[in-house]
Amino acid sequence: MKTASFMTVLMAGDVVYAGAGGELFCLDGASGRIIWKNRLKGLGNGLISFAGASTVEVAAAMAAAQAAAMAATTAAAT
């Protein structure tokens, strides 16, 4: 993933959508595995927002994304 100042996340069912640095990712919510990504070519590196997300959903998605990232980092180190 490119570095970014801001990251937005949304959990929807068993997947986490994350937007950062002009890229959009769909991650497996349990493992953190990238299911797909889209570089959003030509759309710049601005902030990505998810319409219709409640504060509770966003907080849950952030926690899930952090947990998935930690799991992926741990798996990569072993």
Side-chain angles (χ1 to χ4, degrees), residues 18-61:
E23 292 187 63
L24 179 62
F25 295 84
C26 178
L27 308 165
D28 179 281
S31 69
R33 179 181 61 83
I34 296 173
I35 298 170
W36 55 260
K37 66 180 178 177
N38 184 331
R39 290 193 179 110
L40 303 176
K41 189 174 180 179
L43 298 178
N45 292 322
L47 186 63
I48 297 171
S49 64
F50 299 106
S54 75
T55 303
V56 173
E57 288 173 324
V58 171

